[in-house]
Each structure stands twice: as C-alpha cells, then as structure tokens.
Amino acid sequence: MRFIEEIVVDEFLPTFRSLLAERLRERDLTQSEVADILGISQSAVSKYAHGEVARNERVLDDERVAGLAEDLAEGLANDELTSVGALVESEILIRQLERDDLLSELHAAAMPGLNEYDGFDVHDPDSSLRAAERARSSVRRGIGTLEATSGFAGLIPNVGSNLVECVPDATDIDDVAGVPGRIFDVKGRTTVPGDPEFGVSGHVAGVLLAARDNGNDALAALNLAYDADLVDRLESFDLSTVEFDGERDTDEAIAAVDAADADALYHTGGFGVEANVYLLAPSAADAAARVRDLL
C-alpha cells in the first residue's frame, strides 16, 4: 500500500526542488541562499545543480510544474514572495495534481486498484491562507513598481500614501494588507517603512471597504495627493472618477455617491482634512501600474 504523499515525496519533490534550485541559481543566488529558501542543505543544492538527484520525467515535462518553479524563483529572488507564500502555491499545485491528474496517475501506477475510481479531492484550494499570501505578494509587487516610478513621490500627500489589497471576502481592515506606517516622500524619494501586513491601514483600507460595500468590486486602493489636473488625467485614460464629501464619515460619504463603477474616488478636503484621490483597481499591482502609466 502506497499513499499519494509517498508519491509526492519520492517523485514530485526531488524533481520540483531541483527545478526551483536551478531557477534560483540562474538569478545569481548563492548555494547558501538557495539552501535557506528551500530549507535544505548546501550539499543538497549542489547535488541538484550537478544532476545527481533522480528526477521524474513526467513531472519534469509538466508545463505547470516548470511554470510554477519559474514564477516562484522570480518572486523569491525579488523579495516579492515569502517562503510561506511559495509553500502555499506549491501545496496548491500538488493538490491540483493529486485530483485525477499527474500525481493521481503516478499513484494509480503504483496502486493499480485505484484505476477503477475517478479520483478524489481531499484538499481545499480556496484557503484563506492562500488568498492572504496572494494579497501580500501583490502589494509587494505594487510597492516595487512605485519605488521604481519616477515622479511618484510628488503624488504622495502630506499624510502619506498607502497601497492596500484585501482578500475577496473582506469584511474589515484586518482583511486588508497594506504598508505599516504608510509610504512617504523623503527628500523626493519614495520611502516604504516595512513589509506589507494585514490590519495596518485604517484610512485607505476604510475607503476601499466602503467602496466595496457600495457595489465596487475593486480589491485594491492607493491614495494620492488631490490635484484637479490629476483627476482630469485619470479621466483622459477613460477611468471613471467620483467625488465624495471628505468631511463626512467615510462610510456615509461614499454611500451617498455612485461608487459602484468608480475607478477613482476623491474629495477636495476640508477643515483639518487633506484632499485625496483614491485610485481603485483589481489588485495592488494593477493600481501601481496605473500610476506608472499616468506618469
């Protein structure tokens, strides 16, 4: 009797780890860095690099396996993806391949009695952990874009900017990932104080959640310093802008306007309230890309 987990350990993992190690080494990571990321010894990395580990040809030739190795290597090498996020994405692919797919076929070859069944599903690919890690990864990618975008610092309001993304079923700010301490302009340089976390943005997260509560399907938001020319620029890109009252409670103010189809919400400020534009987008990475295109 062989469990499918044995197929994963004996056939999938050596092949996938060797592929991932190769892709990381191609991005100039040292054997020590690759070993730390993969949680293996440097000698094991060396064996992968020199082809001393047996690899399953069917796993090796699967485009999904090769594609994930490439994507994870890129994210890990650029610090856009944590090892937890990489683990989650790897586990999800494994679960997919276990459901009447490549790994179940390898399993059936080892256990012929399984051939009479259509397969079974023992794992949930729509986990909250996966959604959270994807949101954090998207915010990281967006931050990288903003840091590399010339002129973005000039769009940061005095209160600072934040780039946020929520999980699909978000209900409060604890379901929204953002930059702790906000993004600031320090002598013309975009300055990001820390790695994205959940529950650290009350301001921008509140606008995003209010927009979603009123029919908008955006998952991300980025606030910018208000300028009439900026609003015109957004509209010239066929983005819908909607003004709301910045002096009212955020939920009430956004509920009072038609926010459902808005690509950006803005207010012109008031007593003790700085004017802001809130760019809405399907993801944090998309929001940052829109700002880059605007500039």
Side-chain angles (χ1 to χ4, degrees):
M1 181 174 64
R2 294 196 70 189
F3 292 96
I4 196 168
E5 285 79 5
E6 294 178 79
I7 303 300
V8 173
V9 170
D10 296 339
E11 305 294 339
F12 179 88
L13 288 181
T15 304
F16 183 68
R17 276 182 172 147
S18 68
L19 276 174
L20 185 51
E22 286 177 357
R23 300 298 173 265
L24 289 168
R25 290 287 283 147
E26 289 171 359
R27 288 164 172 78
D28 297 324
L29 273 72
T30 65
Q31 284 192 4
S32 176
E33 290 171 332
V34 174
D36 287 341
I37 289 173
L38 298 183
I40 59 179
S41 66
Q42 289 189 51
S43 62
V45 175
S46 178
K47 288 180 180 179
Y48 287 144
H50 291 88
E52 298 175 7
V53 175
R55 305 204 289 190
N56 183 287
E57 289 300 322
R58 291 194 62 189
V59 175
L60 192 63
D61 293 339
D62 192 286
E63 293 181 356
R64 294 163 296 181
V65 175
L68 181 60
E70 183 73 22
D71 291 344
L72 296 188
E74 183 69 18
L76 290 165
N78 293 329
D79 291 326
E80 295 174 354
L81 185 68
T82 66
S83 57
V84 172
L87 173 65
V88 172
E89 293 301 325
S90 301
E91 289 281 6
I92 293 301
L93 177 60
I94 290 172
R95 300 301 164 254
Q96 291 173 343
L97 297 180
E98 286 178 345
R99 294 194 301 275
D100 201 22
D101 207 318
L102 174 62
L103 290 177
S104 64
E105 291 169 4
L106 294 175
H107 194 200
M111 292 285 296
L114 292 172
N115 286 313
E116 62 185 274
Y117 300 99
D118 293 330
F120 53 90
D121 182 2
V122 294
H123 299 285
D124 178 13
D126 299 319
S127 69
S128 59
L129 177 59
R130 184 189 192 194
E133 284 298 323
R134 283 192 160 185
R136 281 161 54 96
S137 180
S138 179
V139 174
R140 288 192 193 92
R141 290 196 302 274
I143 289 170
T145 298
L146 295 178
E147 289 178 318
T149 298
S150 176
F152 171 67
L155 295 179
I156 299 175
N158 293 328
V159 295
S161 286
N162 211 328
L163 177 62
V164 304
E165 182 169 330
C166 67
V167 296
D169 58 352
T171 58
D172 57 41
I173 64 170
D174 289 334
D175 298 319
V176 184
V179 177
R182 302 182 187 176
I183 305 168
F184 287 100
D185 170 10
V186 179
K187 297 182 179 179
R189 179 180 177 183
T190 299
T191 303
V192 181
D195 197 50
E197 299 177 16
F198 279 86
V200 296
S201 171
H203 177 205
V204 183
V207 172
L208 173 62
L209 292 173
R212 286 175 56 79
D213 285 343
N214 288 278
N216 198 296
D217 60 2
L219 291 174
L222 169 67
N223 69 310
L224 307 168
Y226 169 79
D227 184 276
D229 289 339
L230 174 60
V231 173
D232 290 341
R233 182 74 169 152
L234 289 168
E235 292 175 349
S236 74
F237 276 73
D238 292 326
L239 297 175
S240 172
T241 64
V242 174
E243 183 177 3
F244 68 97
D245 187 348
E247 293 190 289
R248 294 179 62 184
D249 173 79
T250 298
D251 290 340
E252 294 178 356
I254 293 178
V257 300
D258 185 7
D261 296 319
D263 296 303
L265 299 169
Y266 71 94
H267 65 76
T268 57
F271 182 74
V273 179
E274 184 179 7
N276 269 260
V277 174
Y278 302 88
L279 188 61
L280 305 175
S283 72
D286 288 329
R290 287 181 181 178
V291 170
R292 179 195 59 205
D293 294 342
L294 285 170
L295 294 172

Tab-separated table of all heavy atoms in Angstrom, residues 182-238:
chain	number	residue	atom	x	y	z
A	182	ARG	N	2.614	53.709	6.445
A	182	ARG	CA	2.368	54.423	5.189
A	182	ARG	C	3.655	54.687	4.396
A	182	ARG	O	4.760	54.533	4.886
A	182	ARG	CB	1.615	55.735	5.424
A	182	ARG	CG	0.280	55.544	6.110
A	182	ARG	CD	-0.438	56.873	6.268
A	182	ARG	NE	-1.662	56.706	7.072
A	182	ARG	CZ	-2.440	57.698	7.434
A	182	ARG	NH1	-2.147	58.945	7.095
A	182	ARG	NH2	-3.536	57.466	8.142
A	183	ILE	N	3.452	55.114	3.155
A	183	ILE	CA	4.532	55.435	2.220
A	183	ILE	C	4.725	56.949	2.241
A	183	ILE	O	3.760	57.703	2.105
A	183	ILE	CB	4.178	54.982	0.790
A	183	ILE	CG1	3.835	53.487	0.771
A	183	ILE	CG2	5.327	55.285	-0.167
A	183	ILE	CD1	3.202	53.018	-0.528
A	184	PHE	N	5.981	57.407	2.389
A	184	PHE	CA	6.239	58.836	2.487
A	184	PHE	C	7.241	59.312	1.445
A	184	PHE	O	8.023	58.528	0.895
A	184	PHE	CB	6.764	59.194	3.892
A	184	PHE	CG	5.712	59.143	4.963
A	184	PHE	CD1	5.613	58.049	5.801
A	184	PHE	CD2	4.806	60.188	5.117
A	184	PHE	CE1	4.627	57.993	6.780
A	184	PHE	CE2	3.826	60.138	6.098
A	184	PHE	CZ	3.735	59.044	6.933
A	185	ASP	N	7.171	60.613	1.197
A	185	ASP	CA	8.143	61.286	0.335
A	185	ASP	C	9.233	61.854	1.238
A	185	ASP	O	8.989	62.784	2.014
A	185	ASP	CB	7.441	62.412	-0.449
A	185	ASP	CG	8.427	63.321	-1.189
A	185	ASP	OD1	9.617	62.980	-1.262
A	185	ASP	OD2	7.981	64.370	-1.697
A	186	VAL	N	10.413	61.279	1.160
A	186	VAL	CA	11.545	61.761	1.957
A	186	VAL	C	12.578	62.345	1.000
A	186	VAL	O	13.300	61.617	0.312
A	186	VAL	CB	12.167	60.628	2.800
A	186	VAL	CG1	13.359	61.164	3.603
A	186	VAL	CG2	11.122	60.034	3.740
A	187	LYS	N	12.591	63.665	0.920
A	187	LYS	CA	13.510	64.386	0.036
A	187	LYS	C	13.413	63.890	-1.407
A	187	LYS	O	14.413	63.637	-2.076
A	187	LYS	CB	14.950	64.264	0.554
A	187	LYS	CG	15.152	64.900	1.925
A	187	LYS	CD	16.594	64.807	2.388
A	187	LYS	CE	16.772	65.473	3.740
A	187	LYS	NZ	18.183	65.382	4.237
A	188	GLY	N	12.173	63.732	-1.862
A	188	GLY	CA	11.951	63.334	-3.241
A	188	GLY	C	12.072	61.848	-3.508
A	188	GLY	O	11.980	61.416	-4.664
A	189	ARG	N	12.219	61.078	-2.450
A	189	ARG	CA	12.379	59.630	-2.614
A	189	ARG	C	11.203	58.912	-1.965
A	189	ARG	O	10.823	59.203	-0.830
A	189	ARG	CB	13.684	59.161	-1.974
A	189	ARG	CG	13.924	57.663	-2.083
A	189	ARG	CD	15.224	57.288	-1.420
A	189	ARG	NE	15.438	55.848	-1.463
A	189	ARG	CZ	16.465	55.218	-0.901
A	189	ARG	NH1	17.390	55.918	-0.247
A	189	ARG	NH2	16.597	53.914	-0.994
A	190	THR	N	10.631	57.954	-2.698
A	190	THR	CA	9.549	57.141	-2.155
A	190	THR	C	10.114	56.223	-1.081
A	190	THR	O	11.013	55.423	-1.349
A	190	THR	CB	8.900	56.300	-3.271
A	190	THR	OG1	8.365	57.181	-4.262
A	190	THR	CG2	7.797	55.422	-2.701
A	191	THR	N	9.599	56.354	0.142
A	191	THR	CA	10.138	55.606	1.274
A	191	THR	C	9.071	54.693	1.859
A	191	THR	O	8.003	55.158	2.265
A	191	THR	CB	10.658	56.569	2.365
A	191	THR	OG1	11.648	57.430	1.793
A	191	THR	CG2	11.272	55.784	3.512
A	192	VAL	N	9.374	53.410	1.888
A	192	VAL	CA	8.450	52.393	2.399
A	192	VAL	C	9.028	51.839	3.698
A	192	VAL	O	10.099	51.237	3.685
A	192	VAL	CB	8.253	51.262	1.374
A	192	VAL	CG1	7.273	50.230	1.898
A	192	VAL	CG2	7.791	51.827	0.045
A	193	PRO	N	8.343	52.023	4.829
A	193	PRO	CA	8.926	51.664	6.124
A	193	PRO	C	8.950	50.181	6.471
A	193	PRO	O	9.696	49.782	7.357
A	193	PRO	CB	8.050	52.432	7.122
A	193	PRO	CG	6.735	52.575	6.436
A	193	PRO	CD	7.059	52.729	4.980
A	194	GLY	N	8.129	49.353	5.816
A	194	GLY	CA	8.107	47.951	6.227
A	194	GLY	C	7.379	47.058	5.247
A	194	GLY	O	6.769	47.514	4.276
A	195	ASP	N	7.464	45.764	5.515
A	195	ASP	CA	6.828	44.756	4.679
A	195	ASP	C	5.317	44.790	4.885
A	195	ASP	O	4.838	45.081	5.989
A	195	ASP	CB	7.376	43.373	5.059
A	195	ASP	CG	7.097	42.325	4.006
A	195	ASP	OD1	7.378	42.584	2.823
A	195	ASP	OD2	6.618	41.223	4.365
A	196	PRO	N	4.534	44.511	3.845
A	196	PRO	CA	3.072	44.554	3.981
A	196	PRO	C	2.548	43.665	5.106
A	196	PRO	O	3.039	42.564	5.318
A	196	PRO	CB	2.580	44.052	2.621
A	196	PRO	CG	3.680	44.367	1.680
A	196	PRO	CD	4.945	44.177	2.474
A	197	GLU	N	1.556	44.190	5.810
A	197	GLU	CA	0.908	43.455	6.887
A	197	GLU	C	-0.602	43.646	6.768
A	197	GLU	O	-1.078	44.577	6.114
A	197	GLU	CB	1.368	43.966	8.257
A	197	GLU	CG	2.852	43.828	8.539
A	197	GLU	CD	3.231	44.427	9.878
A	197	GLU	OE1	2.310	44.664	10.710
A	197	GLU	OE2	4.420	44.687	10.099
A	198	PHE	N	-1.337	42.797	7.439
A	198	PHE	CA	-2.788	42.942	7.479
A	198	PHE	C	-3.192	43.785	8.682
A	198	PHE	O	-2.568	43.706	9.755
A	198	PHE	CB	-3.473	41.579	7.542
A	198	PHE	CG	-3.592	40.907	6.202
A	198	PHE	CD1	-2.547	40.138	5.710
A	198	PHE	CD2	-4.725	41.075	5.418
A	198	PHE	CE1	-2.635	39.540	4.461
A	198	PHE	CE2	-4.823	40.492	4.170
A	198	PHE	CZ	-3.774	39.709	3.685
A	199	GLY	N	-4.216	44.614	8.495
A	199	GLY	CA	-4.769	45.377	9.602
A	199	GLY	C	-4.012	46.634	9.959
A	199	GLY	O	-4.253	47.205	11.025
A	200	VAL	N	-3.103	47.108	9.077
A	200	VAL	CA	-2.286	48.278	9.424
A	200	VAL	C	-2.797	49.571	8.801
A	200	VAL	O	-2.281	50.647	9.086
A	200	VAL	CB	-0.813	48.069	9.015
A	200	VAL	CG1	-0.205	46.924	9.800
A	200	VAL	CG2	-0.680	47.835	7.519
A	201	SER	N	-3.799	49.485	7.931
A	201	SER	CA	-4.323	50.696	7.275
A	201	SER	C	-5.784	50.906	7.639
A	201	SER	O	-6.642	50.114	7.252
A	201	SER	CB	-4.198	50.579	5.751
A	201	SER	OG	-4.877	51.644	5.110
A	202	GLY	N	-6.047	51.979	8.390
A	202	GLY	CA	-7.423	52.310	8.680
A	202	GLY	C	-7.981	53.264	7.635
A	202	GLY	O	-9.140	53.171	7.236
A	203	HIS	N	-7.128	54.166	7.151
A	203	HIS	CA	-7.534	55.229	6.240
A	203	HIS	C	-7.892	54.691	4.851
A	203	HIS	O	-9.052	54.689	4.446
A	203	HIS	CB	-6.393	56.258	6.153
A	203	HIS	CG	-6.642	57.372	5.198
A	203	HIS	ND1	-5.622	58.071	4.606
A	203	HIS	CD2	-7.781	57.899	4.707
A	203	HIS	CE1	-6.130	58.992	3.807
A	203	HIS	NE2	-7.436	58.918	3.857
A	204	VAL	N	-6.900	54.210	4.097
A	204	VAL	CA	-7.139	53.762	2.724
A	204	VAL	C	-7.967	52.476	2.708
A	204	VAL	O	-8.837	52.293	1.852
A	204	VAL	CB	-5.805	53.567	1.980
A	204	VAL	CG1	-6.054	53.180	0.526
A	204	VAL	CG2	-4.978	54.845	2.042
A	205	ALA	N	-7.700	51.596	3.677
A	205	ALA	CA	-8.490	50.364	3.764
A	205	ALA	C	-9.957	50.693	3.984
A	205	ALA	O	-10.849	50.035	3.424
A	205	ALA	CB	-7.972	49.480	4.892
A	206	GLY	N	-10.233	51.728	4.789
A	206	GLY	CA	-11.613	52.117	5.051
A	206	GLY	C	-12.331	52.586	3.796
A	206	GLY	O	-13.502	52.266	3.569
A	207	VAL	N	-11.606	53.344	2.952
A	207	VAL	CA	-12.202	53.797	1.687
A	207	VAL	C	-12.470	52.604	0.778
A	207	VAL	O	-13.536	52.500	0.153
A	207	VAL	CB	-11.278	54.817	0.995
A	207	VAL	CG1	-11.787	55.139	-0.408
A	207	VAL	CG2	-11.170	56.094	1.826
A	208	LEU	N	-11.504	51.694	0.681
A	208	LEU	CA	-11.677	50.509	-0.166
A	208	LEU	C	-12.881	49.685	0.287
A	208	LEU	O	-13.723	49.283	-0.528
A	208	LEU	CB	-10.407	49.652	-0.125
A	208	LEU	CG	-10.492	48.292	-0.834
A	208	LEU	CD1	-10.774	48.463	-2.321
A	208	LEU	CD2	-9.205	47.501	-0.621
A	209	LEU	N	-12.978	49.431	1.585
A	209	LEU	CA	-14.080	48.618	2.098
A	209	LEU	C	-15.424	49.318	1.901
A	209	LEU	O	-16.428	48.669	1.587
A	209	LEU	CB	-13.848	48.306	3.573
A	209	LEU	CG	-12.671	47.372	3.876
A	209	LEU	CD1	-12.439	47.284	5.384
A	209	LEU	CD2	-12.899	45.980	3.297
A	210	ALA	N	-15.438	50.648	2.076
A	210	ALA	CA	-16.679	51.388	1.873
A	210	ALA	C	-17.114	51.314	0.409
A	210	ALA	O	-18.300	51.156	0.100
A	210	ALA	CB	-16.501	52.845	2.294
A	211	ALA	N	-16.146	51.423	-0.503
A	211	ALA	CA	-16.469	51.319	-1.930
A	211	ALA	C	-17.018	49.931	-2.243
A	211	ALA	O	-17.999	49.796	-2.984
A	211	ALA	CB	-15.223	51.607	-2.764
A	212	ARG	N	-16.407	48.911	-1.680
A	212	ARG	CA	-16.868	47.542	-1.915
A	212	ARG	C	-18.264	47.332	-1.321
A	212	ARG	O	-19.103	46.649	-1.914
A	212	ARG	CB	-15.873	46.542	-1.325
A	212	ARG	CG	-14.585	46.421	-2.147
A	212	ARG	CD	-13.557	45.515	-1.473
A	212	ARG	NE	-14.106	44.186	-1.203
A	212	ARG	CZ	-14.227	43.224	-2.132
A	212	ARG	NH1	-13.838	43.444	-3.386
A	212	ARG	NH2	-14.717	42.034	-1.818
A	213	ASP	N	-18.499	47.913	-0.158
A	213	ASP	CA	-19.831	47.796	0.463
A	213	ASP	C	-20.919	48.432	-0.403
A	213	ASP	O	-22.104	48.096	-0.266
A	213	ASP	CB	-19.830	48.462	1.848
A	213	ASP	CG	-19.106	47.634	2.896
A	213	ASP	OD1	-18.884	46.434	2.655
A	213	ASP	OD2	-18.755	48.207	3.948
A	214	ASN	N	-20.496	49.340	-1.289
A	214	ASN	CA	-21.463	50.029	-2.137
A	214	ASN	C	-21.367	49.587	-3.603
A	214	ASN	O	-21.642	50.356	-4.524
A	214	ASN	CB	-21.271	51.541	-2.016
A	214	ASN	CG	-21.740	52.063	-0.675
A	214	ASN	OD1	-22.926	52.303	-0.481
A	214	ASN	ND2	-20.816	52.220	0.268
A	215	GLY	N	-20.964	48.325	-3.781
A	215	GLY	CA	-21.052	47.708	-5.097
A	215	GLY	C	-19.814	47.688	-5.950
A	215	GLY	O	-19.823	47.111	-7.038
A	216	ASN	N	-18.727	48.317	-5.504
A	216	ASN	CA	-17.498	48.311	-6.293
A	216	ASN	C	-16.765	46.985	-6.066
A	216	ASN	O	-16.655	46.536	-4.933
A	216	ASN	CB	-16.607	49.491	-5.893
A	216	ASN	CG	-15.549	49.798	-6.925
A	216	ASN	OD1	-14.673	48.998	-7.179
A	216	ASN	ND2	-15.640	50.980	-7.511
A	217	ASP	N	-16.266	46.382	-7.131
A	217	ASP	CA	-15.611	45.082	-6.981
A	217	ASP	C	-14.090	45.169	-6.906
A	217	ASP	O	-13.388	44.162	-7.011
A	217	ASP	CB	-16.015	44.134	-8.119
A	217	ASP	CG	-15.643	44.665	-9.497
A	217	ASP	OD1	-15.029	45.750	-9.572
A	217	ASP	OD2	-15.963	43.985	-10.503
A	218	ALA	N	-13.548	46.382	-6.718
A	218	ALA	CA	-12.101	46.553	-6.583
A	218	ALA	C	-11.586	45.800	-5.361
A	218	ALA	O	-12.261	45.718	-4.338
A	218	ALA	CB	-11.749	48.032	-6.465
A	219	LEU	N	-10.388	45.272	-5.480
A	219	LEU	CA	-9.734	44.598	-4.358
A	219	LEU	C	-8.581	45.425	-3.790
A	219	LEU	O	-7.996	45.051	-2.769
A	219	LEU	CB	-9.193	43.232	-4.789
A	219	LEU	CG	-10.218	42.148	-5.117
A	219	LEU	CD1	-9.517	40.911	-5.666
A	219	LEU	CD2	-11.036	41.793	-3.877
A	220	ALA	N	-8.254	46.538	-4.466
A	220	ALA	CA	-7.083	47.313	-4.045
A	220	ALA	C	-7.343	48.809	-4.172
A	220	ALA	O	-8.223	49.253	-4.922
A	220	ALA	CB	-5.874	46.920	-4.876
A	221	ALA	N	-6.543	49.574	-3.422
A	221	ALA	CA	-6.658	51.036	-3.469
A	221	ALA	C	-5.310	51.673	-3.156
A	221	ALA	O	-4.481	51.091	-2.446
A	221	ALA	CB	-7.714	51.536	-2.485
A	222	LEU	N	-5.105	52.861	-3.696
A	222	LEU	CA	-3.896	53.651	-3.457
A	222	LEU	C	-4.318	55.104	-3.373
A	222	LEU	O	-5.005	55.604	-4.269
A	222	LEU	CB	-2.899	53.454	-4.602
A	222	LEU	CG	-1.697	54.406	-4.652
A	222	LEU	CD1	-0.768	54.166	-3.459
A	222	LEU	CD2	-0.942	54.237	-5.967
A	223	ASN	N	-3.919	55.805	-2.299
A	223	ASN	CA	-4.284	57.216	-2.196
A	223	ASN	C	-3.165	58.116	-2.682
A	223	ASN	O	-1.970	57.829	-2.495
A	223	ASN	CB	-4.698	57.586	-0.769
A	223	ASN	CG	-3.540	57.544	0.208
A	223	ASN	OD1	-2.811	56.557	0.262
A	223	ASN	ND2	-3.389	58.608	0.992
A	224	LEU	N	-3.575	59.193	-3.338
A	224	LEU	CA	-2.649	60.161	-3.913
A	224	LEU	C	-3.075	61.564	-3.498
A	224	LEU	O	-4.234	61.793	-3.149
A	224	LEU	CB	-2.673	60.064	-5.451
A	224	LEU	CG	-2.454	58.676	-6.060
A	224	LEU	CD1	-2.789	58.701	-7.549
A	224	LEU	CD2	-1.029	58.206	-5.830
A	225	ALA	N	-2.149	62.509	-3.562
A	225	ALA	CA	-2.478	63.907	-3.261
A	225	ALA	C	-3.443	64.430	-4.319
A	225	ALA	O	-3.222	64.239	-5.525
A	225	ALA	CB	-1.214	64.750	-3.231
A	226	TYR	N	-4.520	65.078	-3.879
A	226	TYR	CA	-5.515	65.594	-4.824
A	226	TYR	C	-4.958	66.750	-5.639
A	226	TYR	O	-4.271	67.638	-5.123
A	226	TYR	CB	-6.768	66.068	-4.097
A	226	TYR	CG	-7.700	66.837	-5.009
A	226	TYR	CD1	-8.531	66.161	-5.902
A	226	TYR	CD2	-7.692	68.234	-5.008
A	226	TYR	CE1	-9.365	66.864	-6.767
A	226	TYR	CE2	-8.523	68.944	-5.862
A	226	TYR	CZ	-9.353	68.256	-6.737
A	226	TYR	OH	-10.156	68.953	-7.600
A	227	ASP	N	-5.279	66.701	-6.916
A	227	ASP	CA	-4.989	67.809	-7.818
A	227	ASP	C	-6.010	67.717	-8.942
A	227	ASP	O	-6.247	66.622	-9.473
A	227	ASP	CB	-3.558	67.700	-8.376
A	227	ASP	CG	-3.193	68.886	-9.242
A	227	ASP	OD1	-3.540	68.865	-10.436
A	227	ASP	OD2	-2.568	69.825	-8.721
A	228	ALA	N	-6.606	68.835	-9.309
A	228	ALA	CA	-7.620	68.819	-10.365
A	228	ALA	C	-7.056	68.258	-11.664
A	228	ALA	O	-7.747	67.546	-12.402
A	228	ALA	CB	-8.168	70.229	-10.587
A	229	ASP	N	-5.800	68.569	-11.937
A	229	ASP	CA	-5.171	68.064	-13.161
A	229	ASP	C	-5.035	66.539	-13.106
A	229	ASP	O	-5.117	65.874	-14.141
A	229	ASP	CB	-3.796	68.704	-13.369
A	229	ASP	CG	-3.888	70.175	-13.757
A	229	ASP	OD1	-4.961	70.582	-14.240
A	229	ASP	OD2	-2.900	70.898	-13.563
A	230	LEU	N	-4.787	66.002	-11.914
A	230	LEU	CA	-4.674	64.555	-11.773
A	230	LEU	C	-6.009	63.890	-12.080
A	230	LEU	O	-6.053	62.850	-12.773
A	230	LEU	CB	-4.215	64.196	-10.356
A	230	LEU	CG	-4.188	62.697	-10.023
A	230	LEU	CD1	-3.247	61.945	-10.951
A	230	LEU	CD2	-3.784	62.488	-8.557
A	231	VAL	N	-7.105	64.472	-11.589
A	231	VAL	CA	-8.426	63.922	-11.870
A	231	VAL	C	-8.694	63.959	-13.380
A	231	VAL	O	-9.192	62.993	-13.969
A	231	VAL	CB	-9.518	64.704	-11.112
A	231	VAL	CG1	-10.910	64.225	-11.538
A	231	VAL	CG2	-9.335	64.519	-9.603
A	232	ASP	N	-8.327	65.074	-14.017
A	232	ASP	CA	-8.500	65.172	-15.470
A	232	ASP	C	-7.658	64.131	-16.186
A	232	ASP	O	-8.096	63.543	-17.190
A	232	ASP	CB	-8.098	66.573	-15.963
A	232	ASP	CG	-9.070	67.652	-15.518
A	232	ASP	OD1	-10.217	67.302	-15.152
A	232	ASP	OD2	-8.681	68.832	-15.522
A	233	ARG	N	-6.459	63.910	-15.678
A	233	ARG	CA	-5.565	62.917	-16.286
A	233	ARG	C	-6.164	61.518	-16.185
A	233	ARG	O	-6.128	60.747	-17.142
A	233	ARG	CB	-4.211	62.966	-15.575
A	233	ARG	CG	-3.157	62.019	-16.111
A	233	ARG	CD	-2.596	62.486	-17.414
A	233	ARG	NE	-1.414	61.716	-17.778
A	233	ARG	CZ	-1.037	61.515	-19.023
A	233	ARG	NH1	-1.738	62.032	-20.015
A	233	ARG	NH2	0.047	60.822	-19.291
A	234	LEU	N	-6.724	61.211	-15.044
A	234	LEU	CA	-7.375	59.912	-14.870
A	234	LEU	C	-8.516	59.746	-15.866
A	234	LEU	O	-8.654	58.691	-16.497
A	234	LEU	CB	-7.905	59.779	-13.441
A	234	LEU	CG	-6.868	59.610	-12.323
A	234	LEU	CD1	-7.528	59.777	-10.956
A	234	LEU	CD2	-6.202	58.246	-12.412
A	235	GLU	N	-9.309	60.779	-16.007
A	235	GLU	CA	-10.452	60.712	-16.909
A	235	GLU	C	-10.010	60.601	-18.368
A	235	GLU	O	-10.690	59.991	-19.191
A	235	GLU	CB	-11.351	61.926	-16.706
A	235	GLU	CG	-12.036	61.909	-15.336
A	235	GLU	CD	-12.845	63.171	-15.056
A	235	GLU	OE1	-12.700	64.144	-15.822
A	235	GLU	OE2	-13.608	63.167	-14.063
A	236	SER	N	-8.828	61.178	-18.693
A	236	SER	CA	-8.311	61.076	-20.057
A	236	SER	C	-7.895	59.646	-20.388
A	236	SER	O	-7.757	59.288	-21.558
A	236	SER	CB	-7.125	62.020	-20.258
A	236	SER	OG	-5.956	61.531	-19.600
A	237	PHE	N	-7.689	58.830	-19.336
A	237	PHE	CA	-7.370	57.416	-19.518
A	237	PHE	C	-8.641	56.559	-19.451
A	237	PHE	O	-8.561	55.346	-19.260
A	237	PHE	CB	-6.388	56.961	-18.443
A	237	PHE	CG	-4.947	57.242	-18.764
A	237	PHE	CD1	-4.446	58.531	-18.715
A	237	PHE	CD2	-4.085	56.216	-19.129
A	237	PHE	CE1	-3.125	58.805	-19.013
A	237	PHE	CE2	-2.761	56.477	-19.426
A	237	PHE	CZ	-2.265	57.771	-19.375
A	238	ASP	N	-9.789	57.222	-19.603
A	238	ASP	CA	-11.089	56.532	-19.564
A	238	ASP	C	-11.353	55.859	-18.219
A	238	ASP	O	-12.021	54.825	-18.147
A	238	ASP	CB	-11.202	55.490	-20.687
A	238	ASP	CG	-11.256	56.143	-22.055
A	238	ASP	OD1	-11.837	57.242	-22.157
A	238	ASP	OD2	-10.710	55.564	-23.009
